[in-house]
Coordinates of all heavy atoms in Angstrom, one line a residue:
A569 N 16.2 -5.4 -8.6 CA 15.9 -5.9 -9.9 C 17.0 -5.6 -10.9 O 17.1 -6.2 -12.0 CB 14.6 -5.3 -10.4
T570 N 17.9 -4.6 -10.6 CA 18.8 -4.1 -11.6 C 20.3 -4.5 -11.3 O 21.2 -4.1 -11.9 CB 18.7 -2.6 -11.8 OG1 18.9 -2.0 -10.6 CG2 17.4 -2.3 -12.4
D572 N 23.2 -7.6 -9.9 CA 23.4 -9.1 -10.1 C 23.9 -9.8 -8.9 O 24.3 -11.0 -9.0 CB 24.4 -9.2 -11.3 CG 25.7 -8.5 -11.0 OD1 25.9 -7.9 -9.9 OD2 26.6 -8.5 -11.9
R639 N 20.0 -15.9 -11.9 CA 20.5 -15.1 -13.1 C 21.4 -16.0 -14.0 O 22.4 -16.6 -13.4 CB 21.1 -13.8 -12.7 CG 20.2 -12.8 -12.2 CD 20.8 -11.4 -12.1 NE 21.1 -10.9 -13.5 CZ 21.3 -9.6 -13.7 NH1 21.1 -8.7 -12.8 NH2 21.6 -9.2 -14.9
T641 N 22.3 -14.7 -17.3 CA 22.8 -13.8 -18.4 C 24.2 -13.4 -18.1 O 24.5 -12.8 -17.1 CB 21.9 -12.6 -18.5 OG1 20.6 -12.9 -18.9 CG2 22.5 -11.7 -19.6
T642 N 25.1 -13.8 -19.0 CA 26.5 -13.4 -18.8 C 27.1 -12.6 -20.0 O 28.3 -12.4 -20.1 CB 27.4 -14.7 -18.7 OG1 27.2 -15.6 -19.8 CG2 27.0 -15.5 -17.4
E643 N 26.2 -12.2 -20.9 CA 26.7 -11.5 -22.1 C 27.3 -10.2 -21.7 O 26.7 -9.5 -20.9 CB 25.5 -11.3 -23.1 CG 24.3 -10.7 -22.4 CD 23.1 -10.7 -23.4 OE1 23.3 -10.5 -24.6 OE2 22.0 -11.0 -22.9
P644 N 28.4 -9.8 -22.3 CA 29.1 -8.6 -21.9 C 28.3 -7.4 -22.5 O 27.6 -7.5 -23.5 CB 30.5 -8.7 -22.5 CG 30.3 -9.6 -23.7 CD 29.2 -10.6 -23.3
A645 N 28.5 -6.2 -21.9 CA 27.9 -5.0 -22.4 C 28.8 -4.5 -23.6 O 30.0 -4.4 -23.5 CB 27.9 -4.0 -21.3
P646 N 28.1 -4.1 -24.7 CA 28.9 -3.6 -25.8 C 29.4 -2.2 -25.5 O 28.7 -1.4 -24.8 CB 27.8 -3.5 -26.9 CG 26.5 -3.4 -26.2 CD 26.7 -4.2 -25.0
R652 N 26.6 -0.8 -29.6 CA 25.7 -0.6 -28.5 C 24.3 -0.2 -29.0 O 23.3 -0.7 -28.5 CB 26.2 0.6 -27.7 CG 25.2 1.0 -26.5 CD 25.8 2.0 -25.6 NE 24.9 2.5 -24.6 CZ 24.6 1.8 -23.5 NH1 25.2 0.7 -23.3 NH2 23.7 2.3 -22.7
A655 N 22.7 -3.4 -30.1 CA 22.3 -4.2 -28.9 C 21.0 -3.7 -28.2 O 20.2 -4.5 -27.8 CB 23.4 -4.2 -27.9
R659 N 17.8 -6.1 -28.1 CA 17.3 -6.5 -26.8 C 15.9 -6.0 -26.4 O 15.1 -6.6 -25.8 CB 18.3 -6.1 -25.7 CG 19.6 -6.8 -25.9 CD 20.7 -6.5 -24.8 NE 22.0 -7.1 -25.2 CZ 23.0 -7.0 -24.5 NH1 23.0 -6.5 -23.3 NH2 24.2 -7.6 -24.9
Q694 N 13.6 -2.6 -14.1 CA 14.8 -2.5 -14.9 C 14.7 -1.4 -16.0 O 15.6 -0.6 -16.2 CB 15.2 -3.9 -15.6 CG 16.3 -3.8 -16.6 CD 17.5 -3.2 -16.0 OE1 18.0 -3.6 -14.9 NE2 18.1 -2.2 -16.7
A698 N 17.0 1.8 -16.3 CA 17.9 2.0 -17.5 C 17.5 3.2 -18.4 O 18.3 3.6 -19.2 CB 17.8 0.7 -18.4
Q740 N 14.9 -13.2 -18.2 CA 16.1 -13.2 -19.0 C 16.1 -11.8 -19.8 O 17.2 -11.2 -20.0 CB 16.0 -14.3 -20.0 CG 16.2 -15.7 -19.4 CD 17.6 -16.0 -19.0 OE1 18.5 -15.2 -19.2 NE2 17.8 -17.2 -18.4
A741 N 15.0 -11.4 -20.3 CA 14.9 -10.1 -21.0 C 15.3 -8.9 -20.1 O 16.0 -8.0 -20.5 CB 13.5 -9.9 -21.6
S742 N 14.8 -9.0 -18.9 CA 15.1 -7.9 -17.9 C 16.6 -7.9 -17.6 O 17.3 -6.9 -17.6 CB 14.4 -8.1 -16.6 OG 14.8 -7.2 -15.6
W743 N 17.3 -9.1 -17.4 CA 18.7 -9.2 -17.1 C 19.5 -8.7 -18.3 O 20.6 -8.1 -18.2 CB 19.1 -10.6 -16.7 CG 18.4 -11.0 -15.5 CD1 17.9 -10.2 -14.5 CD2 18.0 -12.4 -15.1 NE1 17.3 -11.0 -13.5 CE2 17.4 -12.3 -13.9 CE3 18.2 -13.6 -15.7 CZ2 16.9 -13.5 -13.2 CZ3 17.8 -14.7 -15.1 CH2 17.1 -14.7 -13.8
S744 N 19.0 -9.1 -19.5 CA 19.7 -8.6 -20.8 C 19.7 -7.1 -20.9 O 20.8 -6.5 -21.3 CB 19.0 -9.3 -22.0 OG 19.7 -8.9 -23.2
L745 N 18.6 -6.5 -20.5 CA 18.6 -5.0 -20.6 C 19.5 -4.4 -19.5 O 20.1 -3.3 -19.7 CB 17.2 -4.5 -20.4 CG 16.2 -4.7 -21.6 CD1 14.8 -4.2 -21.2 CD2 16.7 -4.0 -22.8
S746 N 19.6 -5.1 -18.3 CA 20.4 -4.6 -17.2 C 21.9 -4.5 -17.6 O 22.6 -3.6 -17.0 CB 20.2 -5.4 -16.0 OG 20.8 -6.7 -16.1
V747 N 22.3 -5.3 -18.5 CA 23.7 -5.3 -18.9 C 24.1 -4.0 -19.5 O 25.2 -3.5 -19.4 CB 24.1 -6.5 -19.8 CG1 25.5 -6.4 -20.3 CG2 23.8 -7.8 -19.0
L748 N 23.1 -3.4 -20.2 CA 23.3 -2.1 -21.0 C 23.4 -0.9 -20.0 O 23.9 0.1 -20.4 CB 22.1 -1.9 -21.9 CG 21.9 -2.9 -23.0 CD1 20.7 -2.6 -23.8 CD2 23.1 -3.0 -24.0
R749 N 23.0 -1.1 -18.8 CA 22.9 0.0 -17.8 C 21.9 1.1 -18.1 O 21.0 1.3 -17.5 CB 24.3 0.6 -17.6 CG 25.4 -0.4 -17.1 CD 25.0 -1.0 -15.7 NE 25.1 0.0 -14.7 CZ 24.7 -0.2 -13.4 NH1 24.2 -1.4 -13.1 NH2 24.7 0.7 -12.5
T750 N 22.2 1.9 -19.2 CA 21.2 2.9 -19.6 C 21.1 2.9 -21.1 O 21.9 2.6 -21.8 CB 21.7 4.3 -19.1 OG1 23.0 4.6 -19.7 CG2 21.9 4.4 -17.6
F751 N 19.9 3.4 -21.5 CA 19.6 3.7 -22.9 C 18.5 4.7 -23.0 O 17.8 4.9 -22.0 CB 19.3 2.4 -23.7 CG 18.0 1.7 -23.2 CD1 16.8 2.1 -23.7 CD2 18.0 0.7 -22.2 CE1 15.6 1.5 -23.3 CE2 16.8 0.1 -21.8 CZ 15.6 0.5 -22.4

Side-chain angles (χ1 to χ4, degrees):
T570 56
D572 56 2
R639 289 193 65 157
T641 300
T642 58
E643 51 189 320
R652 178 176 173 79
R659 295 181 190 185
Q694 172 54 50
Q740 294 282 1
S742 174
W743 298 333
S744 178
L745 288 176
S746 70
V747 175
L748 299 172
R749 299 298 293 173
T750 59
F751 64 87

